[in-house]
PDB file of all heavy atoms in Angstrom:
ATOM      1  N   MET A   2     129.569  -0.518  37.473  1.00  0.00           N
ATOM      2  CA  MET A   2     130.633  -0.979  36.573  1.00  0.00           C
ATOM      3  C   MET A   2     131.917  -1.292  37.343  1.00  0.00           C
ATOM      4  O   MET A   2     132.285  -0.542  38.237  1.00  0.00           O
ATOM      5  CB  MET A   2     130.938   0.130  35.553  1.00  0.00           C
ATOM      6  CG  MET A   2     131.949  -0.285  34.542  1.00  0.00           C
ATOM      7  SD  MET A   2     132.726   1.102  33.694  1.00  0.00           S
ATOM      8  CE  MET A   2     133.604   1.915  34.980  1.00  0.00           C
ATOM      9  N   MET A   7     136.319  -3.954  33.170  1.00  0.00           N
ATOM     10  CA  MET A   7     136.220  -3.225  31.901  1.00  0.00           C
ATOM     11  C   MET A   7     137.592  -3.130  31.235  1.00  0.00           C
ATOM     12  O   MET A   7     137.722  -3.267  30.026  1.00  0.00           O
ATOM     13  CB  MET A   7     135.735  -1.794  32.163  1.00  0.00           C
ATOM     14  CG  MET A   7     134.244  -1.644  32.284  1.00  0.00           C
ATOM     15  SD  MET A   7     133.418  -1.712  30.685  1.00  0.00           S
ATOM     16  CE  MET A   7     133.866  -0.138  29.994  1.00  0.00           C
ATOM     17  N   ARG A  10     138.406  -6.342  29.613  1.00  0.00           N
ATOM     18  CA  ARG A  10     137.611  -6.582  28.406  1.00  0.00           C
ATOM     19  C   ARG A  10     138.058  -5.691  27.267  1.00  0.00           C
ATOM     20  O   ARG A  10     138.217  -6.130  26.128  1.00  0.00           O
ATOM     21  CB  ARG A  10     136.133  -6.310  28.697  1.00  0.00           C
ATOM     22  CG  ARG A  10     135.513  -7.375  29.564  1.00  0.00           C
ATOM     23  CD  ARG A  10     134.026  -7.291  29.536  1.00  0.00           C
ATOM     24  NE  ARG A  10     133.526  -7.614  28.189  1.00  0.00           N
ATOM     25  CZ  ARG A  10     132.273  -7.966  27.951  1.00  0.00           C
ATOM     26  NH1 ARG A  10     131.417  -8.058  28.945  1.00  0.00           N
ATOM     27  NH2 ARG A  10     131.876  -8.233  26.743  1.00  0.00           N
ATOM     28  N   ARG A  14     139.704  -6.576  23.613  1.00  0.00           N
ATOM     29  CA  ARG A  14     139.149  -6.149  22.327  1.00  0.00           C
ATOM     30  C   ARG A  14     140.178  -5.367  21.534  1.00  0.00           C
ATOM     31  O   ARG A  14     140.309  -5.514  20.328  1.00  0.00           O
ATOM     32  CB  ARG A  14     137.933  -5.254  22.563  1.00  0.00           C
ATOM     33  CG  ARG A  14     136.756  -6.018  23.109  1.00  0.00           C
ATOM     34  CD  ARG A  14     135.712  -5.043  23.578  1.00  0.00           C
ATOM     35  NE  ARG A  14     134.671  -5.717  24.336  1.00  0.00           N
ATOM     36  CZ  ARG A  14     133.852  -5.086  25.145  1.00  0.00           C
ATOM     37  NH1 ARG A  14     133.955  -3.788  25.310  1.00  0.00           N
ATOM     38  NH2 ARG A  14     132.931  -5.755  25.796  1.00  0.00           N
ATOM     39  N   ARG A  17     142.982  -6.845  19.216  1.00  0.00           N
ATOM     40  CA  ARG A  17     142.738  -7.138  17.810  1.00  0.00           C
ATOM     41  C   ARG A  17     143.055  -5.937  16.933  1.00  0.00           C
ATOM     42  O   ARG A  17     143.441  -6.080  15.796  1.00  0.00           O
ATOM     43  CB  ARG A  17     141.271  -7.540  17.612  1.00  0.00           C
ATOM     44  CG  ARG A  17     140.906  -8.823  18.304  1.00  0.00           C
ATOM     45  CD  ARG A  17     139.480  -9.168  17.981  1.00  0.00           C
ATOM     46  NE  ARG A  17     138.586  -8.075  18.310  1.00  0.00           N
ATOM     47  CZ  ARG A  17     137.623  -8.157  19.218  1.00  0.00           C
ATOM     48  NH1 ARG A  17     137.424  -9.274  19.877  1.00  0.00           N
ATOM     49  NH2 ARG A  17     136.838  -7.132  19.447  1.00  0.00           N
ATOM     50  N   HIS A 286     138.655   8.172  22.604  1.00  0.00           N
ATOM     51  CA  HIS A 286     137.915   7.130  23.325  1.00  0.00           C
ATOM     52  C   HIS A 286     137.523   7.634  24.704  1.00  0.00           C
ATOM     53  O   HIS A 286     136.400   7.446  25.154  1.00  0.00           O
ATOM     54  CB  HIS A 286     138.771   5.877  23.494  1.00  0.00           C
ATOM     55  CG  HIS A 286     139.178   5.267  22.199  1.00  0.00           C
ATOM     56  ND1 HIS A 286     139.572   3.961  22.090  1.00  0.00           N
ATOM     57  CD2 HIS A 286     139.230   5.772  20.955  1.00  0.00           C
ATOM     58  CE1 HIS A 286     139.870   3.710  20.824  1.00  0.00           C
ATOM     59  NE2 HIS A 286     139.672   4.799  20.125  1.00  0.00           N
ATOM     60  N   ILE A 289     134.723  10.086  24.455  1.00  0.00           N
ATOM     61  CA  ILE A 289     133.432   9.440  24.190  1.00  0.00           C
ATOM     62  C   ILE A 289     132.925   8.753  25.457  1.00  0.00           C
ATOM     63  O   ILE A 289     131.744   8.844  25.811  1.00  0.00           O
ATOM     64  CB  ILE A 289     133.554   8.435  23.017  1.00  0.00           C
ATOM     65  CG1 ILE A 289     133.874   9.195  21.733  1.00  0.00           C
ATOM     66  CG2 ILE A 289     132.274   7.635  22.858  1.00  0.00           C
ATOM     67  CD1 ILE A 289     134.304   8.319  20.573  1.00  0.00           C
ATOM     68  N   ARG A 291     133.577   9.608  28.439  1.00  0.00           N
ATOM     69  CA  ARG A 291     133.094  10.645  29.349  1.00  0.00           C
ATOM     70  C   ARG A 291     131.682  11.060  28.960  1.00  0.00           C
ATOM     71  O   ARG A 291     130.822  11.245  29.807  1.00  0.00           O
ATOM     72  CB  ARG A 291     134.022  11.870  29.300  1.00  0.00           C
ATOM     73  CG  ARG A 291     135.391  11.656  29.876  1.00  0.00           C
ATOM     74  CD  ARG A 291     135.402  11.709  31.387  1.00  0.00           C
ATOM     75  NE  ARG A 291     135.099  13.034  31.907  1.00  0.00           N
ATOM     76  CZ  ARG A 291     135.990  14.014  32.044  1.00  0.00           C
ATOM     77  NH1 ARG A 291     137.232  13.807  31.691  1.00  0.00           N
ATOM     78  NH2 ARG A 291     135.635  15.175  32.534  1.00  0.00           N
ATOM     79  N   CYS A 292     131.434  11.183  27.632  1.00  0.00           N
ATOM     80  CA  CYS A 292     130.096  11.505  27.160  1.00  0.00           C
ATOM     81  C   CYS A 292     129.092  10.443  27.576  1.00  0.00           C
ATOM     82  O   CYS A 292     127.957  10.728  27.913  1.00  0.00           O
ATOM     83  CB  CYS A 292     130.071  11.571  25.642  1.00  0.00           C
ATOM     84  SG  CYS A 292     130.629  13.109  25.007  1.00  0.00           S
ATOM     85  N   LEU A 293     129.559   9.191  27.512  1.00  0.00           N
ATOM     86  CA  LEU A 293     128.652   8.080  27.835  1.00  0.00           C
ATOM     87  C   LEU A 293     128.498   7.907  29.335  1.00  0.00           C
ATOM     88  O   LEU A 293     127.863   6.968  29.790  1.00  0.00           O
ATOM     89  CB  LEU A 293     129.156   6.784  27.195  1.00  0.00           C
ATOM     90  CG  LEU A 293     129.196   6.784  25.663  1.00  0.00           C
ATOM     91  CD1 LEU A 293     129.760   5.467  25.146  1.00  0.00           C
ATOM     92  CD2 LEU A 293     127.820   7.027  25.067  1.00  0.00           C
ATOM     93  N   GLY A 294     129.141   8.763  30.103  1.00  0.00           N
ATOM     94  CA  GLY A 294     128.869   8.770  31.541  1.00  0.00           C
ATOM     95  C   GLY A 294     129.954   8.176  32.405  1.00  0.00           C
ATOM     96  O   GLY A 294     129.737   7.987  33.608  1.00  0.00           O
ATOM     97  N   ALA A 295     131.159   7.872  31.836  1.00  0.00           N
ATOM     98  CA  ALA A 295     132.225   7.337  32.692  1.00  0.00           C
ATOM     99  C   ALA A 295     132.815   8.478  33.524  1.00  0.00           C
ATOM    100  O   ALA A 295     133.013   9.583  33.010  1.00  0.00           O
ATOM    101  CB  ALA A 295     133.309   6.714  31.826  1.00  0.00           C
ATOM    102  N   THR A 296     133.055   8.231  34.802  1.00  0.00           N
ATOM    103  CA  THR A 296     133.670   9.271  35.639  1.00  0.00           C
ATOM    104  C   THR A 296     135.182   9.283  35.388  1.00  0.00           C
ATOM    105  O   THR A 296     135.734   8.340  34.828  1.00  0.00           O
ATOM    106  CB  THR A 296     133.419   9.005  37.129  1.00  0.00           C
ATOM    107  OG1 THR A 296     134.039   7.775  37.456  1.00  0.00           O
ATOM    108  CG2 THR A 296     131.940   8.934  37.455  1.00  0.00           C
ATOM    109  N   GLN A 297     135.830  10.368  35.865  1.00  0.00           N
ATOM    110  CA  GLN A 297     137.288  10.482  35.652  1.00  0.00           C
ATOM    111  C   GLN A 297     138.030   9.338  36.328  1.00  0.00           C
ATOM    112  O   GLN A 297     138.970   8.786  35.784  1.00  0.00           O
ATOM    113  CB  GLN A 297     137.788  11.811  36.208  1.00  0.00           C
ATOM    114  CG  GLN A 297     137.495  12.968  35.283  1.00  0.00           C
ATOM    115  CD  GLN A 297     138.047  14.257  35.822  1.00  0.00           C
ATOM    116  OE1 GLN A 297     137.684  14.667  36.920  1.00  0.00           O
ATOM    117  NE2 GLN A 297     138.910  14.896  35.075  1.00  0.00           N
ATOM    118  N   ALA A 377     135.256  16.032  27.998  1.00  0.00           N
ATOM    119  CA  ALA A 377     134.215  15.413  27.171  1.00  0.00           C
ATOM    120  C   ALA A 377     133.970  16.268  25.925  1.00  0.00           C
ATOM    121  O   ALA A 377     133.596  15.746  24.874  1.00  0.00           O
ATOM    122  CB  ALA A 377     132.940  15.271  27.984  1.00  0.00           C
ATOM    123  N   MET A 378     134.251  17.561  26.021  1.00  0.00           N
ATOM    124  CA  MET A 378     134.039  18.466  24.895  1.00  0.00           C
ATOM    125  C   MET A 378     134.854  18.103  23.666  1.00  0.00           C
ATOM    126  O   MET A 378     134.619  18.603  22.575  1.00  0.00           O
ATOM    127  CB  MET A 378     134.400  19.901  25.318  1.00  0.00           C
ATOM    128  CG  MET A 378     133.232  20.716  25.786  1.00  0.00           C
ATOM    129  SD  MET A 378     131.872  20.700  24.615  1.00  0.00           S
ATOM    130  CE  MET A 378     132.423  21.956  23.467  1.00  0.00           C
ATOM    131  N   VAL A 380     134.693  15.681  21.957  1.00  0.00           N
ATOM    132  CA  VAL A 380     133.853  15.109  20.892  1.00  0.00           C
ATOM    133  C   VAL A 380     133.391  16.202  19.927  1.00  0.00           C
ATOM    134  O   VAL A 380     133.078  15.923  18.786  1.00  0.00           O
ATOM    135  CB  VAL A 380     132.625  14.337  21.441  1.00  0.00           C
ATOM    136  CG1 VAL A 380     133.057  13.120  22.217  1.00  0.00           C
ATOM    137  CG2 VAL A 380     131.743  15.231  22.264  1.00  0.00           C
ATOM    138  N   PHE A 381     133.355  17.462  20.412  1.00  0.00           N
ATOM    139  CA  PHE A 381     132.984  18.562  19.520  1.00  0.00           C
ATOM    140  C   PHE A 381     134.194  19.324  19.009  1.00  0.00           C
ATOM    141  O   PHE A 381     134.230  19.774  17.901  1.00  0.00           O
ATOM    142  CB  PHE A 381     132.061  19.552  20.252  1.00  0.00           C
ATOM    143  CG  PHE A 381     130.735  18.959  20.601  1.00  0.00           C
ATOM    144  CD1 PHE A 381     130.411  18.659  21.906  1.00  0.00           C
ATOM    145  CD2 PHE A 381     129.803  18.684  19.594  1.00  0.00           C
ATOM    146  CE1 PHE A 381     129.184  18.112  22.216  1.00  0.00           C
ATOM    147  CE2 PHE A 381     128.581  18.141  19.911  1.00  0.00           C
ATOM    148  CZ  PHE A 381     128.259  17.834  21.225  1.00  0.00           C
ATOM    149  N   ARG A 827     139.264   8.609   4.356  1.00  0.00           N
ATOM    150  CA  ARG A 827     138.271   7.992   5.245  1.00  0.00           C
ATOM    151  C   ARG A 827     138.910   7.558   6.555  1.00  0.00           C
ATOM    152  O   ARG A 827     138.343   7.758   7.627  1.00  0.00           O
ATOM    153  CB  ARG A 827     137.647   6.768   4.550  1.00  0.00           C
ATOM    154  CG  ARG A 827     136.278   7.078   4.014  1.00  0.00           C
ATOM    155  CD  ARG A 827     135.612   5.839   3.556  1.00  0.00           C
ATOM    156  NE  ARG A 827     134.896   5.203   4.660  1.00  0.00           N
ATOM    157  CZ  ARG A 827     134.031   4.220   4.462  1.00  0.00           C
ATOM    158  NH1 ARG A 827     133.786   3.794   3.256  1.00  0.00           N
ATOM    159  NH2 ARG A 827     133.411   3.675   5.474  1.00  0.00           N
TER     160      ARG A 827
ATOM    161  N   ALA B 325     126.341  21.180  23.948  1.00  0.00           N
ATOM    162  CA  ALA B 325     127.311  20.696  24.929  1.00  0.00           C
ATOM    163  C   ALA B 325     127.016  21.268  26.320  1.00  0.00           C
ATOM    164  O   ALA B 325     127.135  20.570  27.331  1.00  0.00           O
ATOM    165  CB  ALA B 325     128.721  21.062  24.491  1.00  0.00           C
ATOM    166  N   LEU B 330     128.400  18.740  29.064  1.00  0.00           N
ATOM    167  CA  LEU B 330     129.736  18.372  28.579  1.00  0.00           C
ATOM    168  C   LEU B 330     130.689  19.546  28.732  1.00  0.00           C
ATOM    169  O   LEU B 330     131.901  19.376  28.752  1.00  0.00           O
ATOM    170  CB  LEU B 330     129.684  17.971  27.106  1.00  0.00           C
ATOM    171  CG  LEU B 330     128.908  16.707  26.763  1.00  0.00           C
ATOM    172  CD1 LEU B 330     128.930  16.471  25.264  1.00  0.00           C
ATOM    173  CD2 LEU B 330     129.501  15.515  27.491  1.00  0.00           C
ATOM    174  N   ASP B 331     130.135  20.741  28.809  1.00  0.00           N
ATOM    175  CA  ASP B 331     130.968  21.938  28.935  1.00  0.00           C
ATOM    176  C   ASP B 331     130.325  22.829  29.995  1.00  0.00           C
ATOM    177  O   ASP B 331     129.140  22.657  30.327  1.00  0.00           O
ATOM    178  CB  ASP B 331     131.034  22.644  27.566  1.00  0.00           C
ATOM    179  CG  ASP B 331     132.233  23.581  27.471  1.00  0.00           C
ATOM    180  OD1 ASP B 331     133.010  23.643  28.453  1.00  0.00           O
ATOM    181  OD2 ASP B 331     132.376  24.245  26.428  1.00  0.00           O
ATOM    182  N   GLU B 350     132.556  17.384  37.861  1.00  0.00           N
ATOM    183  CA  GLU B 350     132.607  16.675  36.588  1.00  0.00           C
ATOM    184  C   GLU B 350     132.103  15.235  36.733  1.00  0.00           C
ATOM    185  O   GLU B 350     131.345  14.734  35.895  1.00  0.00           O
ATOM    186  CB  GLU B 350     134.048  16.718  36.044  1.00  0.00           C
ATOM    187  CG  GLU B 350     134.303  15.900  34.796  1.00  0.00           C
ATOM    188  CD  GLU B 350     133.306  16.144  33.673  1.00  0.00           C
ATOM    189  OE1 GLU B 350     132.903  17.292  33.462  1.00  0.00           O
ATOM    190  OE2 GLU B 350     132.925  15.144  33.022  1.00  0.00           O
ATOM    191  N   ASP B 351     132.476  14.570  37.823  1.00  0.00           N
ATOM    192  CA  ASP B 351     132.034  13.185  38.001  1.00  0.00           C
ATOM    193  C   ASP B 351     130.532  13.107  38.258  1.00  0.00           C
ATOM    194  O   ASP B 351     129.865  12.161  37.819  1.00  0.00           O
ATOM    195  CB  ASP B 351     132.819  12.519  39.146  1.00  0.00           C
ATOM    196  CG  ASP B 351     134.187  12.068  38.675  1.00  0.00           C
ATOM    197  OD1 ASP B 351     134.441  12.131  37.445  1.00  0.00           O
ATOM    198  OD2 ASP B 351     135.009  11.651  39.513  1.00  0.00           O
ATOM    199  N   ALA B 354     128.946  13.349  35.026  1.00  0.00           N
ATOM    200  CA  ALA B 354     129.146  12.086  34.292  1.00  0.00           C
ATOM    201  C   ALA B 354     128.099  11.057  34.720  1.00  0.00           C
ATOM    202  O   ALA B 354     127.551  10.323  33.896  1.00  0.00           O
ATOM    203  CB  ALA B 354     130.541  11.554  34.540  1.00  0.00           C
ATOM    204  N   ARG B 357     124.915  11.774  33.051  1.00  0.00           N
ATOM    205  CA  ARG B 357     124.987  11.351  31.646  1.00  0.00           C
ATOM    206  C   ARG B 357     124.821   9.844  31.517  1.00  0.00           C
ATOM    207  O   ARG B 357     124.120   9.358  30.655  1.00  0.00           O
ATOM    208  CB  ARG B 357     126.328  11.766  31.025  1.00  0.00           C
ATOM    209  CG  ARG B 357     126.440  13.249  30.743  1.00  0.00           C
ATOM    210  CD  ARG B 357     127.558  13.518  29.739  1.00  0.00           C
ATOM    211  NE  ARG B 357     128.886  13.199  30.258  1.00  0.00           N
ATOM    212  CZ  ARG B 357     129.646  14.036  30.970  1.00  0.00           C
ATOM    213  NH1 ARG B 357     129.181  15.234  31.259  1.00  0.00           N
ATOM    214  NH2 ARG B 357     130.827  13.681  31.382  1.00  0.00           N
ATOM    215  N   ALA B 358     125.483   9.119  32.432  1.00  0.00           N
ATOM    216  CA  ALA B 358     125.427   7.658  32.361  1.00  0.00           C
ATOM    217  C   ALA B 358     124.002   7.161  32.536  1.00  0.00           C
ATOM    218  O   ALA B 358     123.593   6.196  31.903  1.00  0.00           O
ATOM    219  CB  ALA B 358     126.345   7.048  33.418  1.00  0.00           C
ATOM    220  N   PHE B 363     123.654  10.254  23.435  1.00  0.00           N
ATOM    221  CA  PHE B 363     124.184  11.180  22.421  1.00  0.00           C
ATOM    222  C   PHE B 363     124.236  10.529  21.055  1.00  0.00           C
ATOM    223  O   PHE B 363     124.564   9.348  20.940  1.00  0.00           O
ATOM    224  CB  PHE B 363     125.630  11.569  22.760  1.00  0.00           C
ATOM    225  CG  PHE B 363     125.742  12.530  23.900  1.00  0.00           C
ATOM    226  CD1 PHE B 363     126.067  12.086  25.174  1.00  0.00           C
ATOM    227  CD2 PHE B 363     125.523  13.893  23.692  1.00  0.00           C
ATOM    228  CE1 PHE B 363     126.173  12.973  26.220  1.00  0.00           C
ATOM    229  CE2 PHE B 363     125.642  14.780  24.746  1.00  0.00           C
ATOM    230  CZ  PHE B 363     125.966  14.331  26.020  1.00  0.00           C
ATOM    231  N   GLN B 369     131.319   8.989  16.150  1.00  0.00           N
ATOM    232  CA  GLN B 369     132.109   8.777  17.371  1.00  0.00           C
ATOM    233  C   GLN B 369     131.996   7.350  17.899  1.00  0.00           C
ATOM    234  O   GLN B 369     131.816   7.115  19.091  1.00  0.00           O
ATOM    235  CB  GLN B 369     131.700   9.775  18.480  1.00  0.00           C
ATOM    236  CG  GLN B 369     131.849  11.231  18.109  1.00  0.00           C
ATOM    237  CD  GLN B 369     133.289  11.721  18.095  1.00  0.00           C
ATOM    238  OE1 GLN B 369     134.218  10.923  18.061  1.00  0.00           O
ATOM    239  NE2 GLN B 369     133.468  13.021  18.075  1.00  0.00           N
ATOM    240  N   LEU B 371     133.933   3.817  18.671  1.00  0.00           N
ATOM    241  CA  LEU B 371     135.334   3.481  18.964  1.00  0.00           C
ATOM    242  C   LEU B 371     135.832   2.504  17.904  1.00  0.00           C
ATOM    243  O   LEU B 371     135.259   1.423  17.742  1.00  0.00           O
ATOM    244  CB  LEU B 371     135.470   2.882  20.357  1.00  0.00           C
ATOM    245  CG  LEU B 371     135.087   3.810  21.502  1.00  0.00           C
ATOM    246  CD1 LEU B 371     135.473   3.197  22.840  1.00  0.00           C
ATOM    247  CD2 LEU B 371     135.748   5.167  21.357  1.00  0.00           C
ATOM    248  N   PRO B 372     136.878   2.896  17.177  1.00  0.00           N
ATOM    249  CA  PRO B 372     137.281   2.078  16.023  1.00  0.00           C
ATOM    250  C   PRO B 372     137.764   0.679  16.394  1.00  0.00           C
ATOM    251  O   PRO B 372     137.664  -0.238  15.605  1.00  0.00           O
ATOM    252  CB  PRO B 372     138.415   2.891  15.381  1.00  0.00           C
ATOM    253  CG  PRO B 372     138.888   3.821  16.448  1.00  0.00           C
ATOM    254  CD  PRO B 372     137.722   4.079  17.344  1.00  0.00           C
ATOM    255  N   LEU B 374     136.477  -1.272  18.598  1.00  0.00           N
ATOM    256  CA  LEU B 374     135.390  -2.133  19.070  1.00  0.00           C
ATOM    257  C   LEU B 374     134.434  -2.461  17.918  1.00  0.00           C
ATOM    258  O   LEU B 374     134.199  -1.628  17.043  1.00  0.00           O
ATOM    259  CB  LEU B 374     134.612  -1.436  20.187  1.00  0.00           C
ATOM    260  CG  LEU B 374     135.391  -0.914  21.401  1.00  0.00           C
ATOM    261  CD1 LEU B 374     134.429  -0.483  22.496  1.00  0.00           C
ATOM    262  CD2 LEU B 374     136.346  -1.958  21.939  1.00  0.00           C
ATOM    263  N   GLU B 378     130.084  -4.378  20.407  1.00  0.00           N
ATOM    264  CA  GLU B 378     130.851  -3.886  21.558  1.00  0.00           C
ATOM    265  C   GLU B 378     130.656  -2.384  21.769  1.00  0.00           C
ATOM    266  O   GLU B 378     130.659  -1.905  22.898  1.00  0.00           O
ATOM    267  CB  GLU B 378     132.342  -4.203  21.365  1.00  0.00           C
ATOM    268  CG  GLU B 378     132.642  -5.680  21.543  1.00  0.00           C
ATOM    269  CD  GLU B 378     133.987  -6.096  20.956  1.00  0.00           C
ATOM    270  OE1 GLU B 378     134.618  -5.276  20.262  1.00  0.00           O
ATOM    271  OE2 GLU B 378     134.384  -7.251  21.181  1.00  0.00           O
ATOM    272  N   GLU B 385     127.778  -1.287  29.862  1.00  0.00           N
ATOM    273  CA  GLU B 385     128.789  -1.731  30.838  1.00  0.00           C
ATOM    274  C   GLU B 385     129.185  -0.583  31.757  1.00  0.00           C
ATOM    275  O   GLU B 385     129.373  -0.775  32.956  1.00  0.00           O
ATOM    276  CB  GLU B 385     130.015  -2.281  30.104  1.00  0.00           C
ATOM    277  CG  GLU B 385     129.763  -3.640  29.484  1.00  0.00           C
ATOM    278  CD  GLU B 385     130.943  -4.148  28.660  1.00  0.00           C
ATOM    279  OE1 GLU B 385     131.778  -3.317  28.264  1.00  0.00           O
ATOM    280  OE2 GLU B 385     131.013  -5.366  28.417  1.00  0.00           O
ATOM    281  N   LEU B 386     129.323   0.611  31.186  1.00  0.00           N
ATOM    282  CA  LEU B 386     129.688   1.761  32.018  1.00  0.00           C
ATOM    283  C   LEU B 386     128.605   2.027  33.061  1.00  0.00           C
ATOM    284  O   LEU B 386     128.902   2.419  34.191  1.00  0.00           O
ATOM    285  CB  LEU B 386     129.884   3.014  31.157  1.00  0.00           C
ATOM    286  CG  LEU B 386     131.196   3.106  30.382  1.00  0.00           C
ATOM    287  CD1 LEU B 386     131.171   4.300  29.445  1.00  0.00           C
ATOM    288  CD2 LEU B 386     132.378   3.231  31.338  1.00  0.00           C
ATOM    289  N   TYR B 412     133.567  -4.124  12.395  1.00  0.00           N
ATOM    290  CA  TYR B 412     134.174  -2.925  12.985  1.00  0.00           C
ATOM    291  C   TYR B 412     133.705  -1.688  12.236  1.00  0.00           C
ATOM    292  O   TYR B 412     133.322  -1.789  11.068  1.00  0.00           O
ATOM    293  CB  TYR B 412     135.700  -3.033  12.922  1.00  0.00           C
ATOM    294  CG  TYR B 412     136.199  -4.073  13.890  1.00  0.00           C
ATOM    295  CD1 TYR B 412     136.402  -5.379  13.484  1.00  0.00           C
ATOM    296  CD2 TYR B 412     136.380  -3.739  15.230  1.00  0.00           C
ATOM    297  CE1 TYR B 412     136.795  -6.345  14.376  1.00  0.00           C
ATOM    298  CE2 TYR B 412     136.790  -4.697  16.133  1.00  0.00           C
ATOM    299  CZ  TYR B 412     136.993  -6.008  15.708  1.00  0.00           C
ATOM    300  OH  TYR B 412     137.362  -6.944  16.601  1.00  0.00           O
ATOM    301  N   LEU B 416     131.898  -0.652   8.102  1.00  0.00           N
ATOM    302  CA  LEU B 416     130.495  -0.250   7.937  1.00  0.00           C
ATOM    303  C   LEU B 416     130.426   1.044   7.143  1.00  0.00           C
ATOM    304  O   LEU B 416     131.343   1.870   7.198  1.00  0.00           O
ATOM    305  CB  LEU B 416     129.851  -0.025   9.317  1.00  0.00           C
ATOM    306  CG  LEU B 416     129.822  -1.221  10.276  1.00  0.00           C
ATOM    307  CD1 LEU B 416     129.364  -0.771  11.655  1.00  0.00           C
ATOM    308  CD2 LEU B 416     128.898  -2.318   9.752  1.00  0.00           C
ATOM    309  N   ASP B 440     123.588  15.779  17.610  1.00  0.00           N
ATOM    310  CA  ASP B 440     124.310  16.894  16.980  1.00  0.00           C
ATOM    311  C   ASP B 440     124.458  16.597  15.491  1.00  0.00           C
ATOM    312  O   ASP B 440     125.258  15.742  15.116  1.00  0.00           O
ATOM    313  CB  ASP B 440     125.694  17.020  17.655  1.00  0.00           C
ATOM    314  CG  ASP B 440     126.548  18.089  16.983  1.00  0.00           C
ATOM    315  OD1 ASP B 440     125.983  19.087  16.524  1.00  0.00           O
ATOM    316  OD2 ASP B 440     127.780  17.907  16.936  1.00  0.00           O
TER     317      ASP B 440
END
Side-chain angles (χ1 to χ4, degrees):
Chain A
M2 184 199 65
M7 276 284 287
R10 288 195 66 161
R14 290 168 191 161
R17 295 183 305 243
H286 299 201
I289 295 168
R291 291 281 293 277
C292 278
L293 297 178
T296 63
Q297 282 182 301
M378 265 308 278
V380 295
F381 294 109
R827 257 189 88 168
Chain B
L330 294 179
D331 200 2
E350 174 50 39
D351 280 352
R357 287 199 294 274
F363 286 100
Q369 302 285 17
L371 297 189
L374 306 190
E378 287 162 351
E385 286 176 340
L386 283 173
Y412 289 93
L416 300 171
D440 176 34

